[in-house]
Every structure is written in structure tokens, then in C-alpha cells.
Amino acid sequence: MAYNWTGFYVGVNVGGSWGRQDTTFNSPAAIITNSNHLDGVIGGGQIGYNWQFGSPWVFGIEADIQGSGQKHSGAFGLATVPVALSYEDKLDWFGTVRGRLGYAIGDRGTWLPYITGGLAYGDNKISGSGTVPGAAVAFSQSDTRVGWTIGAGIEWAFADRWSAKVEYLYMDLGSDPSIALTPTTSITTGRLTDNVARVGVNLHF
């Protein structure tokens, strides 16, 4: 008897994520850009629904939320003028709402390779302190960014109500507004992109 993917499911996942974001110090004396590597462990949960109507094609929608340990510590320094800033760039959490399109394969259709894509959102925080020409400064800015994601995966129904999956997502969460340090100096953060690799387990209803 062929496996039927139709129905609700909930599950948990764990994995790793490798983010990239440029951060730039702007002043009349110099412009300095650092490339930040926001790498770390992630974990969270997902909920979704699949539709399969008498064919191998499976359509679905899934939402997930992830806690993230992704962060990068960096600094700006300039010998010619008194600039010495240290900072931390973090992605504390993120989530997605995605469509899925899969094709069931195998003797009973228990293997489901799929593509997926949709909305992505997450909280990016940058904070730090130090000195710039003429001032000691401290700053902290946290913004919930909204962007997009695309990816692919494969899910295996290893029991009537249980499945396991492996998934990769690429996310683009856009850019943050500038952080003004003094009337003549600021920090700008560039586009935040992320590569997510995770495994998960789902319970089907």
C-alpha cells in the first residue's frame, strides 16, 4: 500500500548555520569595512500541512522558528586618528514560512525529495563600544529583518506517523539601517545572508 503524505505534522530540528554580513565604519578620515562570519548552532521546531491527491506530487506549506547561536566579534582600528571600536554582530533567532513541492519515490512512496521557498525573517543585533575622534561611544541596535529563502531537502517516512528529513536553506535578510555614533561618524551593516543545514523529525496526524 502506498504511503499518503496528506495531513498535518509537527516536528523538531537541529543543525548549523553559516551567515555573512559586511559591517562598515564611516568617517571623514576613513571608511573601514569588515566581513563578519556569523556561524553557530541552531535548533527549533516546525509545523506544516501536505496535500497529495492520487499522484506522486506532494504540495505543502511549512513554518518554522529557530533559536540561533550565530555571532561574530570584531573591531575597527585606525592608527592615524583615534578610532578603536569593538563590536558583536548576532543573529539571535530566525524563522521561515515556505511552500514545498515534492515528488514521492520508492516502492511505497516513502521518500520525498522536495524544493522549498518563501518568506524569511530574523532578529539581527549589533552592539559595541570604543572611541572615535572626539568622543567615547557605545551603541546597540536590534532589528527584525524580513527577506526570502530558497532550498531543498529530502524526507523519509520511516513509520506510519513518523518521518525524518535533511534540509538546506539559503536565506537573504537584507540590510540594517545605519547607526549614528557622532554627527560625523556612523556604522552601516550590509546584506545578511545565511546558509542553513539541518536535520529534523516530524510526527504526522
Side-chain angles (χ1 to χ4, degrees):
M1 182 177 178
Y3 185 82
N4 192 332
W5 288 91
T6 298
F8 285 102
Y9 62 89
V10 296
V12 294
N13 68 78
V14 67
S17 203
W18 299 267
R20 298 293 181 267
Q21 182 180 45
D22 287 345
T23 301
T24 301
F25 172 76
N26 305 282
S27 76
I31 297 175
I32 311 167
T33 298
N34 291 343
S35 181
N36 301 339
H37 290 218
L38 284 76
D39 303 335
V41 176
I42 62 166
Q46 64 270 352
I47 185 170
Y49 191 90
N50 291 318
W51 292 268
Q52 184 177 8
F53 301 106
S55 78
W57 290 102
V58 179
F59 303 90
I61 186 168
E62 181 175 290
D64 68 85
I65 189 73
Q66 306 291 137
S68 171
Q70 295 176 251
K71 61 183 178 181
H72 175 94
S73 296
F76 297 108
L78 194 61
T80 54
V81 292
V83 174
L85 289 174
S86 60
Y87 67 90
E88 185 175 64
D89 193 1
K90 299 173 64 178
L91 183 63
D92 285 327
W93 59 266
F94 64 88
T96 70
V97 180
R98 293 169 286 107
R100 299 202 313 169
L101 174 62
Y103 192 86
I105 60 175
D107 292 341
R108 297 181 56 235
T110 55
W111 290 90
L112 184 68
Y114 61 87
I115 57 174
T116 184
L119 176 74
Y121 56 95
D123 184 70
N124 182 213
K125 181 179 181 180
I126 182 167
S127 58
S129 61
T131 58
V132 297
V137 296
F139 56 93
S140 180
Q141 179 169 284
S142 181
D143 289 295
T144 300
R145 299 181 173 209
V146 178
W148 56 271
T149 182
I150 191 169
I154 186 166
E155 193 166 356
W156 171 45
F158 61 87
D160 286 343
R161 297 179 60 192
W162 291 94
S163 66
K165 70 173 184 177
V166 178
E167 184 174 70
Y168 166 80
L169 296 177
Y170 175 83
M171 294 196 308
D172 187 325
L173 294 177
S175 302
D176 263 345
S178 295
I179 305 170
L181 303 177
T182 70
T184 59
T185 62
S186 66
I187 289 176
T188 56
T189 53
R191 186 171 299 278
L192 174 55
T193 61
D194 210 4
N195 295 275
V196 178
R198 58 191 179 186
V199 296
V201 176
N202 289 324
L203 172 63
H204 297 255
F205 300 95

